[in-house]
Amino acid sequence: MKDTLENATEHDRALKAKHRALWASGDYPAVAAELIPALGPELVRACGVRAGDRVLDVAAGSGNAAIPAAATGAIVTASDLTPELFTAGRAIADRQGVQIEWVEADAEAMPFADDSFDVVMSCVGVMFAPHHQAAADELVRVCRPGGTIGLINWTPQGFIGNLFKTMKPYAPPAPPGASPAPLWGDEAHVQSLLGDRVTALLTQRRTVRMDRCASPLEFREYWKRNYGPTIATYGFNADERQRIADLDREFLRFLTEWNSAPGSEGTAYDAEYLLVTAKKAEPGR
């Protein structure tokens, strides 16, 4: 039994190290700032963050939600498994004149006491923790009774969900017990994860437009250069030239088919996400 537990612990440690390296590769702070800058402020508004609130941003990255939360006067902690992302976050926070506590933390086992925060939120972050129930349990645990849990998650049917479907045949095998990240964008899945530990659960499907690049080809290269999961997928096939060529072709086909920009120039991708808000149930209710 002891050997089994030690092996499980070592396996989890190795898995988390891979996740940390994945998100440290490329330039996720640029992706957050250039493609989805509106999502963090939207989540802060949806959660009703106010001055003096104790706020935790889980899987915060470079702080795309933590920084606008701090701008309200809230007391904000930004946690992430990949502290390499904090360098960009601290620089942005300094420019905006806000104070944030940055804490390296695994979303599936956070180093915070029960009932510590008035608002617990995550903007396309916690959805990438491999074990969904463990991460959901932690979101609920650290939120105070009556406090708010707020999430923005990519949907399985939307642009990012289909980006992952396009890469899946070429991606490294998922670790045992891991669930696909875009499932967090499915209403029934979120309800099953949070269960009766929350009340007033609200979900809304919305879209954010990504129109930064001049062509689908340029956008493909943007993902290959900046986005950790895409970098990892290409790296997994680095020694197989034909698979790289096939992946390039399929990626470009996907981006061409999903491009909704009028005419023959420019790009426009309306990426669907699920906005989730809920209240942690009060004892006895």
Side-chain angles (χ1 to χ4, degrees), residues 98-193:
V98 298
Q99 296 293 318
I100 293 173
E101 180 186 18
W102 303 88
V103 178
E104 180 180 346
D106 179 355
E108 297 176 4
M110 293 191 284
F112 308 115
D114 296 357
D115 308 332
S116 293
F117 298 95
D118 302 301
V119 177
V120 178
M121 61 183 184
S122 185
C123 184
V124 294
V126 74
M127 64 179 290
F128 291 101
H131 305 109
H132 292 191
Q133 191 61 65
D137 292 347
E138 285 292 272
L139 295 177
V140 175
R141 180 184 68 78
V142 301
C143 186
R144 68 164 175 82
T148 298
I149 297 170
L151 308 168
I152 286 180
N153 302 318
W154 301 120
T155 67
Q157 301 84 4
F159 172 72
I160 300 297
N162 277 277
L163 185 153
F164 276 94
K165 287 178 184 177
T166 300
M167 295 193 299
K168 184 176 180 180
Y170 305 91
S179 299
L183 271 180
W184 272 97
D186 177 81
E187 294 89 342
H189 186 64
V190 172
Q191 173 66 69
S192 70
L193 292 174

Side-chain angles (χ1 to χ4, degrees), residues 4 7 27-28 34 78 144 148 151 153 161 256 268:
T4 301
N7 288 340
D27 191 351
Y28 185 74
E34 295 167 356
R144 68 164 175 82
T148 298
L151 308 168
N153 302 318
T256 301

